[in-house]
Amino acid sequence: DTGVSQDPRHKITKRGQNVTFRCDPISEHNRLYWYRQTLGQGPEFLTYFQNEAQLEKSRLLSDRFSAERPKGSFSTLEIQRTEQGDSAMYLCASSPITSAYNEQFFGPGTRLTVL
Amino acid sequence: EDQVTQSPEALRLQEGESSSLNCSYTVSGLRGLFWYRQDPGKGPEFLFTLYSAGEEKEKERLKATLTKKESFLHITAPKPEDSATYLCAVRSNAGNNRKLIWGLGTSLAVNP
């Protein structure tokens, strides 16, 4: 499968614990995005990488959230001291640098439940 | 402020009953309008990109059209497997912004 992959697919954690999610983009895509989606809502932008550089970060993203893409390939999203309000689907998407219009291709998502 | 509004919120059709979904947008210069399909518990699946007013794109039973203020996703003779949430997103050409602005989606149910 050459699509975007995310791991784990599901994560259940207790409030206050830290969690880390991984995203592997389509191999030739150098742009990578993280979104959060709750039921009945569209995806909410969190952050964007071009290669290893984090170029944009949502103002909605608190200091508890951090993302990295150290070698410009896979990316990780860490949430520290999780809260029940962090429960959501976390989506990763990638797009190629050759796309002038920025079509983004999504992974299957990681469903986070904070108890 | 850039905004995307989709209607209706939910739509129930009988198999074979054609209909249209609407995506109205306000954006400071449209760089692209995107349609996605999302099945429950999965990530959005890319369907179409539209770039300029008057453009149309087709894929199987789906046809997307674009005007200066809105886009329509026409579904011809739908089948139960077309049941999903259809999401619309836009990108503005302001600066180097690559963020997509999303609507809330239309939940489509097609009954056999």
Side-chain angles (χ1 to χ4, degrees):
Chain A
D1 191 310
T2 58
V4 178
S5 61
Q6 293 187 244
D7 184 68
R9 295 292 308 277
H10 304 274
K11 178 70 176 178
I12 299 174
T13 191
K14 293 182 179 179
R15 187 177 53 187
Q17 298 295 304
N18 299 343
V19 295
T20 300
F21 309 141
R22 176 179 171 127
C23 170
D24 287 89
I26 295 170
S27 60
E28 62 269 25
H29 288 187
N30 72 331
R31 295 183 180 130
L32 187 148
Y33 310 81
W34 285 100
Y35 292 87
R36 177 172 63 189
Q37 187 179 28
T38 54
L39 195 63
Q41 302 292 314
E44 175 186 27
F45 172 78
L46 294 178
T47 190
Y48 152 62
F49 291 87
Q50 181 163 306
N51 299 314
E52 65 275 8
Q54 188 173 19
L55 297 185
E56 191 172 352
K57 187 175 177 180
S58 170
R59 287 173 290 177
L60 300 174
L61 213 60
S62 75
D63 292 342
R64 297 184 298 106
F65 288 72
S66 63
E68 293 183 343
R69 196 182 182 198
K71 296 183 180 179
S73 55
F74 72 92
S75 175
T76 58
L77 177 69
E78 181 182 16
I79 308 174
Q80 296 181 327
R81 304 180 305 281
T82 53
E83 302 172 355
Q84 288 185 327
D86 297 331
S87 295
M89 174 77 89
Y90 289 83
L91 295 165
C92 176
S94 69
S95 67
I97 196 169
T98 53
S99 169
Y101 300 97
N102 204 41
E103 294 93 343
Q104 297 178 18
F105 298 88
F106 284 81
T110 294
R111 169 76 64 190
L112 173 66
T113 302
V114 181
L115 302 176
Chain B
E1 181 181 349
D2 297 341
Q3 191 170 4
V4 175
T5 303
Q6 291 188 246
S7 61
E9 291 183 13
L11 181 63
R12 185 175 295 275
L13 300 174
Q14 288 299 121
E15 184 172 3
E17 179 187 2
S18 301
S19 188
S20 296
L21 313 182
N22 178 264
C23 172
S24 298
Y25 63 90
T26 54
V27 65
S28 53
L30 182 68
R31 187 69 184 266
L33 183 142
F34 308 89
W35 282 99
Y36 286 82
R37 168 193 170 128
Q38 187 171 29
D39 292 299
K42 296 187 178 181
E45 175 190 348
F46 173 76
L47 294 174
F48 303 111
T49 306
L50 300 167
Y51 311 125
S52 58
E55 189 175 6
E56 298 182 352
K57 289 195 175 172
E58 291 188 63
K59 179 181 179 180
E60 296 181 349
R61 295 177 292 281
L62 301 177
K63 179 180 177 180
T65 62
L66 181 65
T67 72
K68 289 186 177 180
K69 294 185 178 180
E70 58 191 349
S71 175
F72 291 94
L73 185 64
H74 307 277
I75 303 177
T76 301
K79 298 181 178 181
E81 53 262 43
D82 295 322
S83 298
T85 295
Y86 290 85
L87 293 164
C88 173
V90 299
R91 179 187 168 203
S92 78
N93 58 18
N96 198 26
N97 181 16
R98 297 194 176 276
K99 182 172 61 179
L100 298 183
I101 308 300
W102 294 82
L104 299 182
T106 293
S107 177
L108 174 66
V110 182
N111 296 325

mmCIF file of all heavy atoms in Angstrom, chain B residues 79-108:
data_model
loop_
_atom_site.group_PDB
_atom_site.id
_atom_site.type_symbol
_atom_site.label_atom_id
_atom_site.label_comp_id
_atom_site.label_asym_id
_atom_site.label_seq_id
_atom_site.Cartn_x
_atom_site.Cartn_y
_atom_site.Cartn_z
ATOM 1 N N LYS B 79 -26.080 4.731 -5.513
ATOM 2 C CA LYS B 79 -26.191 3.378 -4.992
ATOM 3 C C LYS B 79 -25.917 3.404 -3.483
ATOM 4 O O LYS B 79 -25.294 4.361 -2.990
ATOM 5 C CB LYS B 79 -25.192 2.456 -5.685
ATOM 6 C CG LYS B 79 -25.426 2.319 -7.191
ATOM 7 C CD LYS B 79 -24.416 1.364 -7.807
ATOM 8 C CE LYS B 79 -24.695 1.193 -9.296
ATOM 9 N NZ LYS B 79 -23.729 0.242 -9.926
ATOM 10 N N PRO B 80 -26.330 2.378 -2.768
ATOM 11 C CA PRO B 80 -26.081 2.369 -1.311
ATOM 12 C C PRO B 80 -24.618 2.579 -0.948
ATOM 13 O O PRO B 80 -24.322 3.196 0.082
ATOM 14 C CB PRO B 80 -26.578 0.977 -0.902
ATOM 15 C CG PRO B 80 -27.665 0.672 -1.878
ATOM 16 C CD PRO B 80 -27.194 1.263 -3.179
ATOM 17 N N GLU B 81 -23.697 2.117 -1.770
ATOM 18 C CA GLU B 81 -22.263 2.292 -1.470
ATOM 19 C C GLU B 81 -21.790 3.742 -1.598
ATOM 20 O O GLU B 81 -20.650 4.059 -1.227
ATOM 21 C CB GLU B 81 -21.397 1.389 -2.352
ATOM 22 C CG GLU B 81 -21.654 1.517 -3.838
ATOM 23 C CD GLU B 81 -22.574 0.423 -4.359
ATOM 24 O OE1 GLU B 81 -23.580 0.105 -3.683
ATOM 25 O OE2 GLU B 81 -22.287 -0.108 -5.458
ATOM 26 N N ASP B 82 -22.646 4.622 -2.087
ATOM 27 C CA ASP B 82 -22.323 6.053 -2.115
ATOM 28 C C ASP B 82 -22.607 6.721 -0.774
ATOM 29 O O ASP B 82 -22.290 7.905 -0.590
ATOM 30 C CB ASP B 82 -23.113 6.763 -3.214
ATOM 31 C CG ASP B 82 -22.727 6.301 -4.607
ATOM 32 O OD1 ASP B 82 -21.521 6.054 -4.830
ATOM 33 O OD2 ASP B 82 -23.623 6.176 -5.467
ATOM 34 N N SER B 83 -23.204 5.998 0.144
ATOM 35 C CA SER B 83 -23.492 6.541 1.471
ATOM 36 C C SER B 83 -22.181 6.891 2.179
ATOM 37 O O SER B 83 -21.295 6.051 2.304
ATOM 38 C CB SER B 83 -24.279 5.528 2.309
ATOM 39 O OG SER B 83 -25.521 5.233 1.708
ATOM 40 N N ALA B 84 -22.079 8.139 2.622
ATOM 41 C CA ALA B 84 -20.860 8.644 3.261
ATOM 42 C C ALA B 84 -21.106 10.102 3.617
ATOM 43 O O ALA B 84 -22.144 10.664 3.291
ATOM 44 C CB ALA B 84 -19.651 8.538 2.326
ATOM 45 N N THR B 85 -20.123 10.715 4.273
ATOM 46 C CA THR B 85 -20.132 12.161 4.458
ATOM 47 C C THR B 85 -19.259 12.783 3.381
ATOM 48 O O THR B 85 -18.139 12.334 3.150
ATOM 49 C CB THR B 85 -19.612 12.544 5.851
ATOM 50 O OG1 THR B 85 -20.514 12.043 6.841
ATOM 51 C CG2 THR B 85 -19.519 14.061 5.994
ATOM 52 N N TYR B 86 -19.780 13.798 2.722
ATOM 53 C CA TYR B 86 -19.047 14.484 1.659
ATOM 54 C C TYR B 86 -18.612 15.848 2.191
ATOM 55 O O TYR B 86 -19.433 16.660 2.610
ATOM 56 C CB TYR B 86 -19.904 14.606 0.404
ATOM 57 C CG TYR B 86 -20.107 13.253 -0.244
ATOM 58 C CD1 TYR B 86 -21.129 12.411 0.187
ATOM 59 C CD2 TYR B 86 -19.242 12.799 -1.234
ATOM 60 C CE1 TYR B 86 -21.292 11.144 -0.375
ATOM 61 C CE2 TYR B 86 -19.401 11.544 -1.798
ATOM 62 C CZ TYR B 86 -20.427 10.717 -1.359
ATOM 63 O OH TYR B 86 -20.579 9.463 -1.912
ATOM 64 N N LEU B 87 -17.305 16.064 2.176
ATOM 65 C CA LEU B 87 -16.695 17.275 2.722
ATOM 66 C C LEU B 87 -16.183 18.161 1.596
ATOM 67 O O LEU B 87 -15.632 17.675 0.609
ATOM 68 C CB LEU B 87 -15.534 16.917 3.641
ATOM 69 C CG LEU B 87 -15.860 16.185 4.939
ATOM 70 C CD1 LEU B 87 -14.610 15.569 5.543
ATOM 71 C CD2 LEU B 87 -16.511 17.142 5.926
ATOM 72 N N CYS B 88 -16.335 19.461 1.793
ATOM 73 C CA CYS B 88 -15.834 20.465 0.860
ATOM 74 C C CYS B 88 -14.793 21.306 1.593
ATOM 75 O O CYS B 88 -14.955 21.610 2.785
ATOM 76 C CB CYS B 88 -17.003 21.337 0.393
ATOM 77 S SG CYS B 88 -16.553 22.761 -0.610
ATOM 78 N N ALA B 89 -13.719 21.666 0.913
ATOM 79 C CA ALA B 89 -12.676 22.505 1.507
ATOM 80 C C ALA B 89 -12.157 23.469 0.450
ATOM 81 O O ALA B 89 -12.186 23.164 -0.744
ATOM 82 C CB ALA B 89 -11.530 21.647 2.045
ATOM 83 N N VAL B 90 -11.680 24.636 0.906
ATOM 84 C CA VAL B 90 -11.123 25.613 -0.017
ATOM 85 C C VAL B 90 -9.750 26.049 0.477
ATOM 86 O O VAL B 90 -9.439 26.003 1.664
ATOM 87 C CB VAL B 90 -12.030 26.852 -0.188
ATOM 88 C CG1 VAL B 90 -13.385 26.456 -0.752
ATOM 89 C CG2 VAL B 90 -12.170 27.622 1.105
ATOM 90 N N ARG B 91 -8.944 26.509 -0.474
ATOM 91 C CA ARG B 91 -7.665 27.108 -0.151
ATOM 92 C C ARG B 91 -7.630 28.498 -0.785
ATOM 93 O O ARG B 91 -7.969 28.652 -1.953
ATOM 94 C CB ARG B 91 -6.516 26.268 -0.696
ATOM 95 C CG ARG B 91 -5.148 26.870 -0.399
ATOM 96 C CD ARG B 91 -4.050 26.124 -1.092
ATOM 97 N NE ARG B 91 -2.806 26.895 -1.001
ATOM 98 C CZ ARG B 91 -1.791 26.766 -1.837
ATOM 99 N NH1 ARG B 91 -1.861 25.887 -2.823
ATOM 100 N NH2 ARG B 91 -0.701 27.482 -1.677
ATOM 101 N N SER B 92 -7.244 29.495 0.007
ATOM 102 C CA SER B 92 -7.149 30.840 -0.528
ATOM 103 C C SER B 92 -5.756 31.054 -1.097
ATOM 104 O O SER B 92 -4.816 30.337 -0.766
ATOM 105 C CB SER B 92 -7.436 31.876 0.559
ATOM 106 O OG SER B 92 -6.311 32.041 1.400
ATOM 107 N N ASN B 93 -5.618 32.056 -1.956
ATOM 108 C CA ASN B 93 -4.304 32.341 -2.513
ATOM 109 C C ASN B 93 -3.612 33.478 -1.769
ATOM 110 O O ASN B 93 -2.703 34.104 -2.286
ATOM 111 C CB ASN B 93 -4.399 32.645 -4.011
ATOM 112 C CG ASN B 93 -5.309 33.816 -4.305
ATOM 113 O OD1 ASN B 93 -5.611 34.613 -3.426
ATOM 114 N ND2 ASN B 93 -5.764 33.913 -5.532
ATOM 115 N N ALA B 94 -4.034 33.721 -0.533
ATOM 116 C CA ALA B 94 -3.402 34.742 0.294
ATOM 117 C C ALA B 94 -2.031 34.268 0.748
ATOM 118 O O ALA B 94 -1.916 33.266 1.450
ATOM 119 C CB ALA B 94 -4.267 35.049 1.507
ATOM 120 N N GLY B 95 -0.993 34.979 0.348
ATOM 121 C CA GLY B 95 0.360 34.657 0.771
ATOM 122 C C GLY B 95 0.759 33.251 0.378
ATOM 123 O O GLY B 95 0.442 32.764 -0.703
ATOM 124 N N ASN B 96 1.446 32.585 1.280
ATOM 125 C CA ASN B 96 1.899 31.221 1.046
ATOM 126 C C ASN B 96 1.066 30.230 1.858
ATOM 127 O O ASN B 96 1.528 29.148 2.210
ATOM 128 C CB ASN B 96 3.375 31.100 1.429
ATOM 129 C CG ASN B 96 4.025 29.873 0.819
ATOM 130 O OD1 ASN B 96 3.590 29.385 -0.220
ATOM 131 N ND2 ASN B 96 5.030 29.356 1.482
ATOM 132 N N ASN B 97 -0.166 30.603 2.134
ATOM 133 C CA ASN B 97 -1.052 29.806 2.966
ATOM 134 C C ASN B 97 -1.394 28.483 2.301
ATOM 135 O O ASN B 97 -1.897 28.463 1.181
ATOM 136 C CB ASN B 97 -2.320 30.611 3.239
ATOM 137 C CG ASN B 97 -3.304 29.881 4.108
ATOM 138 O OD1 ASN B 97 -2.975 28.900 4.759
ATOM 139 N ND2 ASN B 97 -4.528 30.339 4.107
ATOM 140 N N ARG B 98 -1.111 27.374 2.963
ATOM 141 C CA ARG B 98 -1.476 26.066 2.421
ATOM 142 C C ARG B 98 -2.563 25.409 3.247
ATOM 143 O O ARG B 98 -2.898 24.256 3.016
ATOM 144 C CB ARG B 98 -0.242 25.168 2.333
ATOM 145 C CG ARG B 98 0.779 25.724 1.376
ATOM 146 C CD ARG B 98 1.850 24.754 0.998
ATOM 147 N NE ARG B 98 2.723 25.353 -0.003
ATOM 148 C CZ ARG B 98 2.455 25.353 -1.304
ATOM 149 N NH1 ARG B 98 1.369 24.769 -1.739
ATOM 150 N NH2 ARG B 98 3.273 25.919 -2.152
ATOM 151 N N LYS B 99 -3.117 26.143 4.202
ATOM 152 C CA LYS B 99 -4.148 25.582 5.063
ATOM 153 C C LYS B 99 -5.464 25.500 4.291
ATOM 154 O O LYS B 99 -5.811 26.400 3.536
ATOM 155 C CB LYS B 99 -4.323 26.485 6.292
ATOM 156 C CG LYS B 99 -5.322 26.003 7.298
ATOM 157 C CD LYS B 99 -5.276 26.860 8.549
ATOM 158 C CE LYS B 99 -5.613 28.285 8.275
ATOM 159 N NZ LYS B 99 -5.597 29.104 9.503
ATOM 160 N N LEU B 100 -6.191 24.403 4.479
ATOM 161 C CA LEU B 100 -7.515 24.251 3.889
ATOM 162 C C LEU B 100 -8.578 24.663 4.910
ATOM 163 O O LEU B 100 -8.467 24.341 6.088
ATOM 164 C CB LEU B 100 -7.754 22.804 3.452
ATOM 165 C CG LEU B 100 -6.813 22.253 2.386
ATOM 166 C CD1 LEU B 100 -7.232 20.828 2.010
ATOM 167 C CD2 LEU B 100 -6.806 23.139 1.158
ATOM 168 N N ILE B 101 -9.606 25.356 4.428
ATOM 169 C CA ILE B 101 -10.762 25.720 5.245
ATOM 170 C C ILE B 101 -11.872 24.739 4.901
ATOM 171 O O ILE B 101 -12.247 24.616 3.736
ATOM 172 C CB ILE B 101 -11.211 27.162 4.967
ATOM 173 C CG1 ILE B 101 -10.037 28.139 5.092
ATOM 174 C CG2 ILE B 101 -12.354 27.535 5.903
ATOM 175 C CD1 ILE B 101 -9.394 28.159 6.437
ATOM 176 N N TRP B 102 -12.405 24.066 5.910
ATOM 177 C CA TRP B 102 -13.338 22.975 5.688
ATOM 178 C C TRP B 102 -14.765 23.340 6.061
ATOM 179 O O TRP B 102 -14.990 24.102 6.998
ATOM 180 C CB TRP B 102 -12.923 21.768 6.538
ATOM 181 C CG TRP B 102 -11.622 21.167 6.141
ATOM 182 C CD1 TRP B 102 -10.388 21.601 6.503
ATOM 183 C CD2 TRP B 102 -11.424 20.026 5.311
ATOM 184 N NE1 TRP B 102 -9.424 20.790 5.939
ATOM 185 C CE2 TRP B 102 -10.037 19.809 5.206
ATOM 186 C CE3 TRP B 102 -12.280 19.142 4.652
ATOM 187 C CZ2 TRP B 102 -9.489 18.767 4.468
ATOM 188 C CZ3 TRP B 102 -11.736 18.105 3.912
ATOM 189 C CH2 TRP B 102 -10.352 17.924 3.826
ATOM 190 N N GLY B 103 -15.719 22.747 5.331
ATOM 191 C CA GLY B 103 -17.110 22.774 5.759
ATOM 192 C C GLY B 103 -17.369 21.634 6.729
ATOM 193 O O GLY B 103 -16.486 20.828 7.017
ATOM 194 N N LEU B 104 -18.612 21.588 7.226
ATOM 195 C CA LEU B 104 -18.974 20.558 8.197
ATOM 196 C C LEU B 104 -19.413 19.260 7.536
ATOM 197 O O LEU B 104 -19.559 18.245 8.211
ATOM 198 C CB LEU B 104 -20.091 21.068 9.117
ATOM 199 C CG LEU B 104 -19.741 22.292 9.953
ATOM 200 C CD1 LEU B 104 -20.915 22.648 10.856
ATOM 201 C CD2 LEU B 104 -18.494 22.060 10.780
ATOM 202 N N GLY B 105 -19.629 19.307 6.224
ATOM 203 C CA GLY B 105 -19.973 18.085 5.519
ATOM 204 C C GLY B 105 -21.471 17.882 5.333
ATOM 205 O O GLY B 105 -22.288 18.474 6.036
ATOM 206 N N THR B 106 -21.803 17.057 4.360
ATOM 207 C CA THR B 106 -23.171 16.579 4.150
ATOM 208 C C THR B 106 -23.158 15.070 4.317
ATOM 209 O O THR B 106 -22.396 14.376 3.629
ATOM 210 C CB THR B 106 -23.696 16.926 2.749
ATOM 211 O OG1 THR B 106 -23.844 18.334 2.630
ATOM 212 C CG2 THR B 106 -25.044 16.247 2.495
ATOM 213 N N SER B 107 -23.983 14.588 5.232
ATOM 214 C CA SER B 107 -24.082 13.143 5.462
ATOM 215 C C SER B 107 -25.129 12.572 4.527
ATOM 216 O O SER B 107 -26.313 12.910 4.620
ATOM 217 C CB SER B 107 -24.470 12.885 6.920
ATOM 218 O OG SER B 107 -24.636 11.500 7.136
ATOM 219 N N LEU B 108 -24.699 11.722 3.613
ATOM 220 C CA LEU B 108 -25.587 11.141 2.602
ATOM 221 C C LEU B 108 -25.882 9.688 2.939
ATOM 222 O O LEU B 108 -24.963 8.904 3.172
ATOM 223 C CB LEU B 108 -24.951 11.227 1.224
ATOM 224 C CG LEU B 108 -25.707 10.530 0.092
ATOM 225 C CD1 LEU B 108 -27.048 11.222 -0.161
ATOM 226 C CD2 LEU B 108 -24.874 10.495 -1.182
#
